[in-house]
Amino acid sequence: MNLRRTISNIALMMLFIIYIAGLFTGKQFNVFTASAGAAVLVLNLPYMGKTFRLPAWIFCGLGILILLISGAPAKSWADGINSMMKTVIILIAVQMLSIAIKAGGYENAVSNYMNRGIKKVSVLFIILLLLSHLLAGVMSLGSVVIILSAVMPAIKGRIDKENRFAAEAITIGYCTLFLWAPGTVTVLMSMQVFELGWSQYFVPAFMLAVLGLAMGCVWGIIRYGKIRFNNEFINADSTETTCPAANDFSGRRKIAEMALVMTIIVVGITALERLGFSNATGRMIVVSVSVALIWVVLVTKNKFISIVPGIWWNEKLPNNVDLYTFFLSMGMFSAAVSYSGIERRLIDLCGYYQGFFEMWVLPALPLLIIGLSLVGIHPFISVLVVGPVLMGMHLPVSPLQLGLAMSLGCGLSYMVSPFAGLILTLAGNLKLSPADICFKINLRFAVLYYAAAELLIHFIRH
């Protein structure tokens, strides 16, 4: 590991440790966290990958320029770095979960299970959908690669247009997760922008996700219920010595364990909120790290010291450094917009169209997020810019409804935007064009789900 990355890792660990210390002491160490965050930004901004490089440079450059022109004090600069710090800390914390996934051999167990015992195409569609939803909660885009490597050998040549089949099921399962799962960026940002508590947000958001999953299952039954596999799957791995029944049991057990971990995290966050501990981000961090550490210890046992620190330092901690840098850049821009008065002017401008917003804000908000994503503007950016403006207006809808509509727009944009990371990952692995996945495969379901979810959001008031 080179010197730059080593210093970056040290800064990230300082950011994480200082924030945790603040949770338990009740004190804020804004100068120290801003210093660590600034180090991460400066060290990594010039070396970012192409996905986030341009928007990060634009946000950071505009933020710095506006702050300089406005003559902003040092506190505003520090506030800019710290404004997105909570999101960065959450992303660092959930990396611990992926260590348990790797050390516990969960990928191989899921792969073995997916290749056995599934006789109906519609059943495979539903299993793919549900597994994508579950695994994305702990593995993000890594789950897509694992599921594809597990299922594609089992269906290749046995289903017409098998690549389209896999893309459709995985997309529905993956995108609905981003409505409710703790630690996902869309959930964190919607809660932060609209000032929502976890217990207030979770139940209705989970209802929206369940609605999407249920619609996806029905969709799979309607589309594939009468279709049968063209021939039987033959496992070419002649070296396997474990009996199929044992592999099936191991796969089901591993999947059940991951579902249990997600359940414990949700219950733990809710319990800490009722006890009045910290804020929404603090509760997520404490529960996620605690559960992850226990899980890693259980799966590694006496090899914890020899395995985990190396994986954490060399792989997991720097794994999302481009995303960390991107969010810190967004924080600079957000602080500049707020300090310079641009945000207030946008709110005043929207006030001239108060009647439109009062009547159409809930159906229009997801469509706005989707529309912006179609021209390459990431949903994270849309949330950052649009959310504060809406919060500054007097609208006849609750912050919860706005947060749900915002998360819905983000989730659907991952389904129908050719620029989404999920779509690009699927396109690369399945040899399909991003436009085909978005508009020929996903669009019909996305429209139906949008209509049903909007109806549900309309009736949610608190």
Side-chain angles (χ1 to χ4, degrees), residues 339-360:
Y339 180 81
S340 65
I342 295 175
E343 182 180 308
R344 185 68 255 173
R345 293 188 185 96
L346 288 173
I347 293 172
D348 292 340
L349 177 63
C350 291
Y352 289 110
Y353 305 95
Q354 185 79 18
F356 171 83
F357 282 99
E358 288 179 354
M359 183 173 295
W360 299 107

Side-chain angles (χ1 to χ4, degrees), residues 61-224:
L62 285 175
I64 292 172
L65 182 62
I66 294 171
L67 287 172
L68 286 173
I69 292 174
S70 303
K75 182 180 182 301
S76 294
W77 293 74
D79 288 344
I81 295 291
N82 287 328
S83 64
M84 297 303 294
M85 176 190 63
K86 294 178 181 179
T87 303
V88 173
I89 297 296
I90 283 283
L91 292 173
I92 294 173
V94 297
Q95 287 297 314
M96 286 294 295
L97 295 170
S98 62
I99 295 180
I101 293 286
K102 180 175 182 178
Y106 286 84
E107 300 101 324
N108 292 334
V110 171
S111 177
N112 289 335
Y113 176 70
M114 290 292 294
N115 281 332
R116 298 180 182 277
I118 300 173
K119 305 299 183 183
K120 295 183 178 181
V121 176
S122 59
V123 173
L124 179 60
F125 184 92
I126 293 171
I127 290 176
L128 267 176
L129 183 153
L130 296 177
L131 270 180
S132 299
H133 192 84
L134 172 63
L135 295 181
V138 290
M139 303 172 67
S140 190
L141 278 174
S143 64
V144 176
V145 177
I146 290 170
I147 291 174
L148 288 176
S149 65
V151 74
M152 292 312 295
I155 66 173
K156 191 172 182 61
R158 301 178 65 208
I159 306 175
D160 294 334
K161 300 179 179 179
E162 64 266 15
N163 288 2
R164 291 172 175 261
F165 170 88
E168 188 173 27
I170 290 172
T171 303
I172 294 173
Y174 188 94
C175 292
T176 48
L177 176 98
F178 289 87
L179 286 162
W180 71 270
T184 54
V185 176
T186 52
V187 170
L188 290 172
M189 294 189 69
S190 292
M191 289 177 60
Q192 181 174 327
V193 168
F194 295 108
E195 300 175 359
L196 300 170
W198 171 250
S199 60
Q200 179 187 13
Y201 179 86
F202 169 69
V203 173
F206 189 69
M207 288 168 57
L208 283 177
V210 170
L211 173 65
L213 292 174
M215 290 179 64
C217 292
V218 173
W219 182 264
I221 292 170
I222 292 172
R223 284 178 60 82
Y224 302 104

Side-chain angles (χ1 to χ4, degrees), residues 141-351:
L141 278 174
S143 64
V144 176
V145 177
I146 290 170
I147 291 174
L148 288 176
S149 65
V151 74
M152 292 312 295
I155 66 173
K156 191 172 182 61
R158 301 178 65 208
I159 306 175
D160 294 334
K161 300 179 179 179
E162 64 266 15
N163 288 2
R164 291 172 175 261
F165 170 88
E168 188 173 27
I170 290 172
T171 303
I172 294 173
Y174 188 94
C175 292
T176 48
L177 176 98
F178 289 87
L179 286 162
W180 71 270
T184 54
V185 176
T186 52
V187 170
L188 290 172
M189 294 189 69
S190 292
M191 289 177 60
Q192 181 174 327
V193 168
F194 295 108
E195 300 175 359
L196 300 170
W198 171 250
S199 60
Q200 179 187 13
Y201 179 86
F202 169 69
V203 173
F206 189 69
M207 288 168 57
L208 283 177
V210 170
L211 173 65
L213 292 174
M215 290 179 64
C217 292
V218 173
W219 182 264
I221 292 170
I222 292 172
R223 284 178 60 82
Y224 302 104
K226 296 182 180 180
I227 300 176
R228 295 291 182 268
F229 290 112
N230 296 333
N231 50 62
E232 292 297 319
F233 171 67
I234 300 175
N235 190 351
D237 186 2
S238 60
T239 64
E240 185 181 87
T241 58
T242 308
C243 69
N247 276 328
D248 286 348
F249 175 76
S250 175
R252 287 194 296 268
R253 188 189 68 191
K254 295 285 189 183
I255 292 169
E257 288 174 1
M258 287 187 286
L260 178 62
V261 167
M262 291 298 293
T263 302
I264 291 172
I265 290 174
V266 170
V267 172
I269 293 170
T270 303
L272 287 186
E273 183 169 34
R274 295 194 174 184
L275 291 172
F277 176 80
S278 188
N279 52 36
T281 305
R283 291 186 285 269
M284 285 186 185
I285 291 170
V286 170
V287 173
S288 298
V289 171
S290 299
V291 171
L293 283 173
I294 294 171
W295 193 14
V296 170
V297 169
L298 289 175
V299 299
T300 58
K301 298 178 182 177
N302 59 344
K303 296 181 180 179
F304 179 88
I305 299 299
S306 61
I307 294 177
V308 174
I311 295 176
W312 169 255
W313 186 259
N314 296 313
E315 299 178 26
K316 300 304 178 182
L317 184 58
N319 187 49
N320 279 328
V321 71
D322 281 4
L323 201 52
Y324 306 151
T325 308
F326 174 66
F327 281 121
L328 292 171
S329 301
M330 287 174 64
M332 293 295 295
F333 178 74
S334 176
V337 168
S338 179
Y339 180 81
S340 65
I342 295 175
E343 182 180 308
R344 185 68 255 173
R345 293 188 185 96
L346 288 173
I347 293 172
D348 292 340
L349 177 63
C350 291

